[in-house]
Amino acid sequence: MRQRLIAFLVITPLMLISTAPIAHAGLDAPINLDNPRVVPIWGAQSEAQGASNRGWWSGYLYSSRIVLTAAHSTYTFDANRNRQTNEPPFIMVGLPNSNVKNPTGAVKVIKTFVGDYKKSKVGYGLNDFIVYVLEKDLVPIQPSRLMSADIEKELLAAKTELSYHGYGEYRDRCAPGQQAPCQRDWNNPNQSGSDLPRINKINLTPLTDFTWMNPDLKADVQFESLISNHKGCSGDSGGPITTVYEGQLIYIGQGLNGSSVYACGAGDANSKNNNAQSFGYFSPVYKHLDLISQAEAYVKAEAEAKAKAEAEAKAKAEAEAKAKAALSKKTTITCVKGKSSKKVTAVNPKCPAGYKKK
């Protein structure tokens, strides 16, 4: 059966999948503020501009200045599958669990790190992961724990249920009688992007469960993580996939790419029931530890350079103050004329006429 990849862009980052024919996919997902690291991200013409209905996606605050999200929200591909940037003048990150339309406290992205994000021959975006470095701390927070390959094996064996948060659409963008894919229509009262993050539950699923996949497709996604009942919509791109492991919140990867899914009407399915051969996949975080390390090194080097510059500026100011104090310090000299003598105190004392410095 024909497989068609859902494309994900900065302004319309689609999401989703489901091997089970779940009607409505991620429609009407409930608002959930339990994850303290979910952040809204938006493109803007200025730092003070909040997100519009047409320009936001989702992310995960790994540490105070480092955000993990989807590469497809920053890059696209040309007709020859060459990667190209698709960045707005400013990329802004809002406070955790904040309203996406409120720019108060938002911090701009100043540096990005991306690996081998690429488009396969059959059209799948692979290694879809990017790391943002912020201009300053968004909020004080320690680095998050991340999933390792060994932990993923445990989670896969149990087909673990995961949490997936995002700021995406949560209502059907298709009007009655329309078939997906449907264009955004913000005048449609039934269509809306979420001001606050919503939660969906998904399950990790081993590749072997997708028995219908042909060898070429399996080869494409063999290094990706797959899920069997992913629920999400446009704007959920980059949203964190997490679970609680050994009592700690653990980051699995960012959501999400998929095929043959409805995605709130943004996908390519012909009905609200996802295609029987639909699926979702994402690049696991342990494949991108080098990018996170580069971002951490950048933050550390910048902090050290800032500290050095501040120390040098302080030393210079102290030296200048010392020199100024020395110049303004009064001294006393003794002046003599024959058997007469007198003391003169001044910043730069000189003997009166007829007197000589003793």
Side-chain angles (χ1 to χ4, degrees):
M1 184 173 181
R2 179 180 64 91
Q3 293 295 317
R4 178 183 172 193
L5 177 68
I6 294 180
F8 302 88
L9 305 178
V10 170
I11 302 304
T12 55
L14 311 184
M15 305 296 304
L16 270 353
I17 73 165
S18 179
T19 53
I22 299 175
H24 298 267
L27 299 183
D28 297 318
I31 288 174
N32 180 276
L33 309 180
D34 291 345
N35 189 329
R37 296 175 182 267
V38 182
V39 293
I41 306 172
W42 61 85
Q45 298 298 314
S46 70
E47 293 182 50
Q49 183 182 10
S52 70
N53 280 339
R54 297 168 177 79
W56 74 73
W57 56 107
S58 309
Y60 184 74
L61 187 63
Y62 165 73
S63 62
S64 299
R65 288 186 60 191
I66 297 176
V67 174
L68 313 179
T69 187
H72 71 247
S73 293
T74 303
Y75 291 91
T76 59
F77 297 99
D78 64 19
N80 296 316
R81 300 197 302 276
N82 296 311
R83 192 173 73 191
Q84 54 192 11
T85 57
N86 185 30
E87 293 186 6
F90 293 90
I91 297 177
M92 305 298 298
V93 176
L95 294 172
N97 288 314
S98 63
N99 190 310
V100 74
K101 295 177 181 177
N102 183 1
T104 303
V107 178
K108 70 178 178 181
V109 174
I110 61 170
K111 183 75 174 178
T112 62
F113 294 90
V114 65
D116 186 27
Y117 175 48
K118 61 186 178 182
K119 191 173 185 179
S120 72
K121 291 182 179 179
V122 295
Y124 290 92
L126 306 176
N127 301 316
D128 187 359
F129 192 90
I130 195 169
V131 180
Y132 293 162
V133 176
L134 305 179
E135 183 179 39
K136 60 182 180 180
D137 287 358
L138 186 65
V139 295
I141 196 166
Q142 291 298 310
S144 170
R145 187 175 181 186
L146 306 174
M147 180 183 72
S148 66
D150 288 339
I151 292 175
E152 184 180 39
K153 290 178 183 178
E154 292 182 43
L155 300 180
L156 269 174
K159 297 186 180 180
T160 303
E161 184 180 71
L162 310 174
S163 296
Y164 173 34
H165 285 83
Y167 280 84
E169 295 178 49
Y170 65 100
R171 295 183 180 177
D172 198 340
R173 64 162 58 180
C174 293
Q178 289 184 320
Q179 288 187 329
C182 301
Q183 296 298 313
R184 275 199 173 110
D185 177 11
W186 298 111
N187 294 316
N188 180 349
N190 191 46
Q191 184 182 331
S192 178
S194 186
D195 292 348
L196 296 170
R198 295 176 181 268
I199 188 172
N200 284 290
K201 296 294 185 177
I202 62 178
N203 292 81
L204 273 179
T205 306
L207 180 59
T208 53
D209 277 19
F210 297 88
T211 56
W212 55 265
M213 284 190 180
N214 62 46
D216 289 341
L217 184 52
K218 285 186 176 181
D220 253 1
V221 298
Q222 63 179 315
F223 299 115
E224 301 284 311
S225 297
L226 279 70
I227 59 93
S228 61
N229 61 338
H230 177 41
K231 307 168 187 177
C233 296
S234 178
D236 287 330
S237 291
I241 299 172
T242 61
T243 191
V244 175
Y245 180 81
E246 296 181 343
Q248 287 185 302
L249 179 72
I250 185 171
Y251 178 79
I252 309 297
Q254 67 82 16
L256 191 69
N257 291 297
S259 178
S260 297
V261 298
Y262 186 69
C264 291
D268 65 349
N270 292 320
S271 72
K272 292 182 181 179
N273 291 326
N274 285 334
N275 187 291
Q277 293 185 353
S278 64
F279 71 100
Y281 67 96
F282 61 92
S283 190
V285 66
Y286 59 76
K287 290 182 60 180
H288 307 288
L289 299 182
D290 59 327
L291 301 180
I292 297 174
S293 294
Q294 290 175 50
E296 289 177 320
Y298 179 90
V299 170
K300 181 180 179 182
E302 190 182 62
E304 290 175 347
K306 182 180 179 180
K308 182 180 179 181
E310 289 175 348
E312 291 176 346
K314 181 179 179 181
K316 181 179 179 181
E318 289 175 347
E320 290 176 347
K322 186 177 181 179
K324 184 177 180 180
L327 290 174
S328 62
K329 184 179 179 181
K330 293 182 178 181
T331 57
T332 301
I333 61 175
T334 300
C335 301
V336 295
K337 181 180 179 182
K339 294 181 179 181
S340 299
S341 66
K342 61 172 60 178
K343 294 184 180 295
V344 179
T345 300
V347 172
N348 185 21
K350 295 181 180 179
C351 291
Y355 283 76
K356 294 181 178 180
K357 184 178 179 181
K358 182 178 179 180

